[in-house]
Amino acid sequence: MKIAVIGADGQLGSDLMKILKDHELMPLYYPTFDVTKPGEAKKILSKLKPEIVINTAAYHRVDECEDNPQESFRVNSIAVRDLALICLELDVVLVHFSTDYVFDGKKKNPYTEEDVPNPLSVYATSKLAGEYFIRNILDRYFLIRTCGLYGEAGCWGKGTNFVDIMISLEKKGQSLKVVNDQWVTPTSTAELADRIEELIQTNHFGLYHLTNQGQCTWYEFAKEIFSLLGKKPDIVPVDTETYGAKALRPSYSVLENKKAKEIGLTDFSPWKEALKDYLIRKGYLK
Ligand SMILES: NC(=O)c1ccc[n+]([C@@H]2O[C@H](COP(=O)([O-])OP(=O)(O)OC[C@H]3O[C@@H](n4cnc5c(N)ncnc54)[C@H](OP(=O)(O)O)[C@@H]3O)[C@@H](O)[C@H]2O)c1
């Protein structure tokens, strides 16, 4: 298949480039390809003629988005609408990524695709608006909500990812304060990319929750990283209020891969296994 990958050097984008290597790939890099410039984006995509466009671009510095709602909506909503319109016109399948943060966290058991979102932050609201544009404009789309991504390339939008930050802070001997009242599912971009490869071979279009299995708090995630590395740094569990981040986040945003199971997609591994695999691939662990 001819596949264009927007944000091909990002955390998820670079794993997609590896996993999809047997396809005819068209990597698109910012700022040469900018989703917020629909005229140019359309010209490039019209020339390339992909069958599938995968959009990993996002403005996802969650706290920064609170101060920059215009930019947040420009990248996460309006640009996504424009991209969906381009895909409609060019008859291209769109794969797009959204977030567990579209939920408010009040449910306390895993959210399925049927649960009603109620975003708490500018970032989450702008991502949800992007979702709605895709669902309104296109029939042939895969819209993937995922959670707590970490991958070998590190998250470009945030400069790094949670695992690498924890390891580097510990190396510098800095104190580690980690939130212990927000429940998530850490998810490996390598494994997510693998499932995307499987999903795009189907015509089961629609909204999907795709994460590794299980759940933990960010504090428990940090503890597991160091437990696997055989280290015992002093990690202080803190609550959300004490941590004092600007944007509100759901206290529980675990997603159930309900629809993926229904269509028979390969199960994700438990998050601890995926983490171990990441630490080995990244050379932290032999
Ligand atoms: N990270 C998480 O924990 C998480 C959780 C849930 C959902 N998600 C979603 O998953 C997706 C992928 O996240 P990620 O962690 O892989 O992000 P990432 O590493 O920041 O990758 C995003 C890529 O998009 C590019 N990009 C940024 N602005 C662009 C623009 N205007 N036009 C074209 N490309 C642009 C970036 O390029 P530059 O680096 O040059 O800016 C980067 O290559 C996003 O939609 C995000 O909202 C992420």
Side-chain angles (χ1 to χ4, degrees), residues 195-242:
R195 295 311 174 281
I196 298 298
E197 211 264 335
E198 207 180 321
L199 187 60
I200 60 175
Q201 315 282 337
T202 77
N203 58 2
H204 295 298
F205 300 114
L207 172 68
Y208 288 86
H209 288 180
L210 294 182
T211 67
N212 278 108
Q213 287 183 46
Q215 60 185 46
C216 60
T217 66
W218 292 104
Y219 170 75
E220 289 168 344
F221 185 17
K223 292 279 276 187
E224 183 63 18
I225 294 165
F226 293 113
S227 155
L228 286 166
L229 295 175
K231 294 187 172 181
K232 284 188 185 153
D234 190 19
I235 314 178
V236 182
V238 293
D239 61 21
T240 298
E241 211 182 323
T242 311

Side-chain angles (χ1 to χ4, degrees), residues 11-13 15-17 19-20 54-56 95-99 143-151 185-200 208-212 255 257 260 265-269 274 277 281:
Q11 185 170 230
L12 175 59
D15 272 327
L16 283 164
M17 290 299 295
I19 301 282
L20 298 170
I54 305 184
N55 179 33
T56 73
V95 180
H96 179 75
F97 296 89
S98 186
T99 170
L143 178 53
I144 317 294
R145 290 191 191 130
T146 188
C147 176
L149 293 183
Y150 59 90
T185 304
T187 298
S188 148
T189 53
E191 227 178 295
L192 178 58
D194 212 56
R195 295 311 174 281
I196 298 298
E197 211 264 335
E198 207 180 321
L199 187 60
I200 60 175
Y208 288 86
H209 288 180
L210 294 182
T211 67
N212 278 108
L255 304 177
N257 300 346
L265 210 71
T266 305
D267 277 344
F268 277 77
S269 60
D277 178 60
R281 274 186 289 116

Side-chain angles (χ1 to χ4, degrees), residues 12-240:
L12 175 59
S14 51
D15 272 327
L16 283 164
M17 290 299 295
K18 280 186 217 156
I19 301 282
L20 298 170
K21 63 181 183 323
D22 294 335
H23 295 270
E24 193 179 331
L25 288 179
M26 299 147 184
L28 298 169
Y29 302 101
Y30 180 79
T32 316
F33 186 96
D34 185 342
V35 286
T36 66
K37 295 184 177 156
E40 287 171 30
K42 189 173 156 188
K43 259 189 223 157
I44 295 170
L45 291 172
S46 305
K47 243 189 217 162
L48 292 174
K49 296 191 192 332
E51 296 162 85
I52 298 181
V53 169
I54 305 184
N55 179 33
T56 73
Y59 179 43
H60 56 93
R61 291 178 189 258
V62 179
D63 294 316
E64 223 179 84
C65 286
E66 293 298 305
D67 292 328
N68 298 295
Q70 280 86 356
E71 183 62 6
S72 193
F73 276 80
R74 201 168 77 91
V75 180
N76 298 332
S77 323
I78 305 298
V80 174
R81 173 181 182 263
D82 290 333
L83 191 61
L85 288 169
I86 294 170
C87 289
L88 180 70
E89 196 178 326
L90 302 180
D91 194 24
V92 173
V93 172
L94 177 61
V95 180
H96 179 75
F97 296 89
S98 186
T99 170
D100 54 316
Y101 283 5
V102 297
F103 295 111
D104 62 15
K106 290 188 179 143
K107 192 178 168 201
K108 307 301 175 210
N109 55 60
Y111 283 97
T112 72
E113 292 86 351
E114 284 114 48
D115 284 315
V116 179
N118 182 30
L120 303 176
S121 65
V122 169
Y123 166 71
T125 307
S126 69
K127 290 294 283 186
L128 184 61
E131 287 191 12
Y132 285 145
F133 280 129
I134 291 176
R135 297 170 78 170
N136 290 340
I137 293 166
L138 292 172
D139 292 322
R140 297 168 70 231
Y141 64 86
F142 296 104
L143 178 53
I144 317 294
R145 290 191 191 130
T146 188
C147 176
L149 293 183
Y150 59 90
E152 276 178 88
C155 182
W156 281 61
K158 297 176 185 174
T160 180
N161 67 46
F162 183 83
V163 183
D164 294 351
I165 290 176
M166 287 298 120
I167 292 172
S168 117
L169 289 178
E170 190 272 340
K171 268 192 192 142
K172 288 180 196 152
Q174 292 190 15
S175 72
L176 298 170
K177 285 192 183 133
V178 188
V179 172
N180 196 27
D181 58 359
Q182 288 171 30
W183 293 81
V184 293
T185 304
T187 298
S188 148
T189 53
E191 227 178 295
L192 178 58
D194 212 56
R195 295 311 174 281
I196 298 298
E197 211 264 335
E198 207 180 321
L199 187 60
I200 60 175
Q201 315 282 337
T202 77
N203 58 2
H204 295 298
F205 300 114
L207 172 68
Y208 288 86
H209 288 180
L210 294 182
T211 67
N212 278 108
Q213 287 183 46
Q215 60 185 46
C216 60
T217 66
W218 292 104
Y219 170 75
E220 289 168 344
F221 185 17
K223 292 279 276 187
E224 183 63 18
I225 294 165
F226 293 113
S227 155
L228 286 166
L229 295 175
K231 294 187 172 181
K232 284 188 185 153
D234 190 19
I235 314 178
V236 182
V238 293
D239 61 21
T240 298

